[in-house]
Amino acid sequence: MASLSTESTPRERLDRAISVLGRVRMYWRGAAAMMAVGLAISFALALATKRVWRSEATILYRDTIQTGRDLQSSTARAARLGSKLKDALTARGTLAGVVEAFGLYPEKTARSMVEAVEEMKNHVGFRAQSSDTYVVSFTHDDPHVAQQVAARLTQILLDDYRRDSLGTATMTRDFLREELAEASSKVDAASRALATFLARNPQFQWGLNDSPYAPAPQPLGSPGAPAPAALARALSSAQPVRPVDPQLAALERQLARVEALLGAGRSPAAAPGRPLPQSVVEAQRARSAAVAAVAAAEAALAEKLTTVTPIHPDAVAAKRRVEAAKSQLTAAESALGLVRAGVTEAPAGEARALTPSRRAALAAERTALLRQIAGLRARAGGGRAPAGGEGPRAPAESAARGEGPRAPPSAADGGAEERVIELETEWHRLRLDLERAREYLKTVQANERAADLSADAAENKSETELDVLDQAYLPSRPDRGRGRVFFAGAAVTFFFALGVAGARVLLNDTLYDGGDIHALGGPALLAAMPELPARPPLRERTIVPAYYAEPPGASGYGTEPPGGPGYGAEPPGAAGPGPEPPGGLGHDAEPPGAPAEAAPAGAAPEDTLRDSLDLGDCEGVDRSSWSAPEAPLACVGVRSFARAGGPAFDGPEVEIIGADLDPEGHGVFELLRGAPAPALAALRVLRHRLDQRRAGEPLAVAVVSPGRAEGKTALAVRLAMTLAEAERARVLLVDGHLACPRVAATLGLRLPAHASFSEQLRRRMAGEIRPLGVIAVSQSLSVLAEPSHEASYPAALHSVHFEAAMRTLRRYHDYVVIDGPPVLGSGDANVIEDASDGIVLVARASLTRASSLTRAAEQLGDRRILGVVLNDVAPRPVARKRVCIDGEPAGQSV
């Protein structure tokens, strides 16, 4: 089954916001008064305000020489410069000098210069117009003074900036010059320390670019340089001498490193990412595989050449495969040689790809190492050349034969090795110190050159310069005149008045429409009754009495009917209070007519009453013997209420004691005839909901309101008429507000004293057992009310007979509509709640407060509350006041 969502849509929320904003019109009088006062104040201020003139000067920031020492862009520097210039402009010393120079604000200056400076700050302006322009302004009541002061402030700002820029540049240059001298001294000290170390340890050499006096190593093959083979033979022919000299051991290790580098540079196998074999066996296997690959590639090339020409793409590809296989073979052979020499990986930290210059340097270094080794071994052998081939072989020769470097003799001194390590470490540290000192010197030299350029540019005003783009002008129109003050005050007044009205709307908890009821989250909204036009009260009518209606000893209506008995007498032809005539006045008969004197002119009284009453069912009664007044009395007085199929009683529990007949109109139903269609629709919607609640059973509905003057009586009357419309249900309207009864006055009925509801209850409290007497205003609508504005016995509401009477009336009617009392201020509404089946809360739009409705709902509880009816809803929200008539509140039209 489809269901409707209770969540509000955006359109509904927008409509709700617009309706709330529309309530501002309720407070238009207060807003108009505030606006009038504000406009008057604005006008007075405008008359008292002096004209103020503003003069402005534009400053341009430009960057002419880029020294490279500032990494920020010109836009970032300009943005950073703006705040700096503003602070310099509004400095107290700057403004104090201008105040003294131009004699500004003499009254404040006489009291204190601080007050004059603060006053001037309010008239000095500084803003960034774009990324590289700034505007300096000054306002004064004299245009010439404004121009002069603006020009003076601009010149002061330019002078301060240039002075500050020059001072900063000069200070930076002097500081960097000191840093340059210190860096130079550090380089000198590092060079001296390295030179001293090399002088003491000649086995260590300068680098290629360290000193012009360092011995340049000669490459292999140069004139005067011995061949590696000759050196190797010379070393091999030397006498076998055990290398106990740590210097010799260090040279041999360095020679092995150089040989490994040369071999790795020549060998593709030692390329980056390709490790060397770990053993001679693996290297031999790799070489054999490379030889087989070369043979297979050459065979494939020969096969291709038998079928295609050498320039064919297939032949060219075969040649490339042969070349690649040969390169692999060369790499395998090189790797085999390195592994046999004891090198299993390239030395860490050295470049694996050798350039020609690097290769030449390594060859020269190898030659020098061989010479040094040969010389040391010769000195160790006593200056004799080694004879025969028994001497120790050079590391290169040993590596060529696949032998590893020979270990030093076991009797080597451990202290010598530690000495070698210390020398190597010291040499590297001195070299590193020298390199660091040189790098720092280069950085300081670059900064010092930039500082020199900046200082020279600042002195020549050519680096970063502030220049006046537009001079301070003489203003021709006032910046702030009387018209501007007035319009500004008017705008402030307008928004202030609207703000106050809006605040009053937000703080007001008065209910205006159904949205306010939904916002409370309490009882549901049953219907919204529109505001009804004002109409005169109903014409007051006298009730036609019914026979046997007046209790014994009660006063009648004034006079006895002519030619007939009184209220306690029996009518002629009647057989006493015997069986009930079938044509009596009940729910199926028309109400009795008006007195004979109310008949229209030219009609007989008897004909008028006969036409007004349906006497066709009064069988067994001789109508010709009745006089005009007696006929209705006979049929009415003996008829009591009895529901079809209901229980039988010894005597009637409810009887009609009078009727309202208005042959000139529609009687009490005139209240509905003049109601507009929206009001009738709302009443019928409410009737529909009550029909759903009744579900075919009798229903007693009490109509109450949180306070007075909220229209509950008029709503109860119209609700009862709507329920009895077209004789769809038997309805009884009960006046339950005994403290202030208004039902009879609203209907325009003049009731006899013995028809008072409170009086009947009082007689029952005294022990008198009589049926409850009601007044019939139509075939389906009856009234049980009070004759006057004051009940004869208001305390009867709190007796047990009231609830018993409600139960009795409920048995004989489909609906019992009770006009209840206000909820707040008394407990009468709670008594009505106990005696009824449902409660309808009535709230009057633009009068009832949300807090009052909430407290009323809390006092009653949610046991029997059916919902809320918002009464008197106006198209536009209005502010209403409670008006009292004769001590009671008015405004109950609806």
Side-chain angles (χ1 to χ4, degrees), residues 734 757 801-811 816 818 835:
V734 179
F757 183 32
H801 296 279
F802 176 77
E803 296 184 4
M806 289 297 103
R807 289 193 295 268
T808 301
L809 295 172
R810 192 185 296 114
R811 287 196 296 268
V816 177
I818 306 172

Side-chain angles (χ1 to χ4, degrees), residues 266-480:
R266 292 190 300 269
S267 174
R274 181 179 299 176
L276 295 175
Q278 298 298 320
S279 64
V280 178
V281 177
E282 294 180 0
Q284 188 66 35
R285 290 176 182 174
R287 181 182 179 281
S288 299
V291 171
V294 170
E298 289 176 350
L301 177 61
E303 184 181 358
K304 288 290 182 182
L305 292 177
T306 59
T307 57
V308 297
T309 61
I311 62 175
H312 193 274
D314 294 340
V316 174
K319 290 179 181 179
R320 290 177 180 175
R321 283 193 291 270
V322 170
E323 293 174 0
K326 290 181 179 180
S327 298
Q328 293 292 334
L329 178 60
T330 304
E333 290 176 352
S334 300
L336 179 61
L338 291 174
V339 172
R340 285 177 177 177
V343 180
T344 60
E345 60 180 3
E350 296 290 342
R352 296 186 179 184
L354 296 179
T355 60
S357 60
R358 179 62 173 166
R359 187 184 301 277
L362 289 175
E365 186 178 358
R366 183 184 63 178
T367 303
L369 289 174
L370 289 175
R371 288 179 180 178
Q372 293 180 11
I373 291 172
L376 289 176
R377 286 181 177 176
R379 287 196 299 270
R384 294 173 300 176
E390 304 297 332
R393 293 186 293 270
E397 184 180 356
S398 300
R401 296 185 180 185
E403 301 177 359
R406 297 185 179 183
S410 59
D413 189 9
E417 294 181 358
E418 293 293 335
R419 175 62 180 167
V420 171
I421 293 173
E422 291 179 359
L423 290 176
E424 290 280 351
T425 304
E426 181 68 15
W427 179 65
H428 285 292
R429 184 184 65 80
L430 293 174
R431 288 287 302 273
L432 183 60
D433 291 344
L434 179 59
E435 291 177 0
R436 289 177 177 175
R438 287 176 176 175
E439 292 295 331
Y440 180 70
L441 178 61
K442 292 179 181 179
T443 303
V444 174
Q445 286 175 347
N447 293 337
E448 195 270 340
R449 285 194 295 270
D452 286 341
L453 289 176
S454 299
D456 294 340
E459 291 176 356
N460 298 327
K461 302 179 183 179
S462 59
E463 184 199 8
T464 55
E465 182 179 5
L466 287 179
D467 197 3
V468 178
L469 183 62
D470 291 331
Q471 295 288 343
Y473 58 87
L474 181 64
S476 59
R477 296 180 59 184
D479 181 67
R480 188 179 63 200

Side-chain angles (χ1 to χ4, degrees), residues 504-842:
R504 294 181 65 182
V505 170
L506 295 178
L507 296 177
N508 187 10
D509 65 340
T510 304
L511 303 175
Y512 293 98
D513 52 23
D516 296 332
I517 302 295
H518 292 301
L520 291 179
L525 179 66
L526 297 177
M529 288 291 296
E531 186 178 16
L532 297 180
R535 57 168 300 158
L538 296 179
R539 179 177 56 87
E540 188 177 19
R541 298 174 306 282
T542 304
I543 298 301
V544 176
Y547 190 61
Y548 292 151
E550 186 177 3
S555 59
Y557 282 92
T559 60
E560 184 178 349
Y567 291 112
E570 191 174 307
E580 178 183 352
L585 180 62
H587 287 290
D588 299 329
E590 288 290 339
E597 59 270 18
E606 182 178 357
D607 297 336
T608 303
L609 293 176
R610 233 179 235 117
D611 294 339
S612 301
L613 296 174
D614 186 7
L615 301 179
D617 294 335
C618 292
E619 298 179 358
V621 181
D622 187 6
R623 304 177 191 175
S624 61
S625 61
W626 290 352
S627 60
E630 294 171 354
L633 297 178
C635 291
V636 172
V638 296
R639 178 64 175 169
S640 62
F641 284 95
R643 297 183 60 188
F649 299 94
D650 295 339
E653 290 184 298
V654 180
E655 64 179 1
I656 295 178
I657 61 174
D660 174 31
L661 181 63
D662 188 8
E664 297 181 358
H666 293 78
V668 296
F669 285 89
E670 285 289 337
L671 294 175
L672 285 182
R673 288 179 58 85
L680 296 177
L683 289 171
R684 286 166 183 166
V685 169
L686 182 58
R687 180 185 68 189
H688 172 70
R689 297 191 176 184
L690 294 180
D691 285 342
Q692 290 180 332
R693 179 62 181 267
R694 183 170 73 92
E697 296 295 330
L699 182 67
V701 180
V703 180
V704 298
S705 61
R708 298 186 177 186
E710 295 178 357
K712 60 178 181 57
T713 300
L715 180 65
V717 169
R718 287 186 172 87
L719 176 60
M721 295 177 184
T722 306
L723 293 173
E725 189 178 14
E727 300 180 7
R728 56 182 294 124
R730 290 168 293 185
V731 182
L732 175 64
L733 178 60
V734 179
D735 197 345
H737 189 194
L738 299 183
C740 185
R742 286 292 182 272
V743 173
T746 303
L747 295 175
L749 300 178
R750 183 186 301 171
L751 302 179
H754 65 273
S756 170
F757 183 32
S758 61
E759 183 63 27
Q760 296 183 51
L761 293 178
R762 185 174 185 179
R763 289 199 298 266
R764 288 193 171 208
M765 294 169 61
E768 182 180 349
I769 305 300
R770 282 187 59 84
L772 291 171
V774 299
I775 305 298
V777 296
S778 73
Q779 278 190 326
S780 57
L781 178 61
S782 303
V783 176
L784 182 57
E786 296 293 326
S788 63
H789 290 174
E790 294 182 1
S792 57
Y793 190 63
L797 178 68
H798 300 279
S799 67
V800 296
H801 296 279
F802 176 77
E803 296 184 4
M806 289 297 103
R807 289 193 295 268
T808 301
L809 295 172
R810 192 185 296 114
R811 287 196 296 268
Y812 290 93
H813 297 86
D814 297 324
Y815 285 101
V816 177
V817 181
I818 306 172
D819 178 27
V823 178
L824 303 178
S826 68
D828 295 349
N830 296 92
V831 177
I832 299 295
E833 176 194 10
D834 294 335
S836 59
D837 300 320
I839 298 293
V840 175
L841 273 171
V842 179

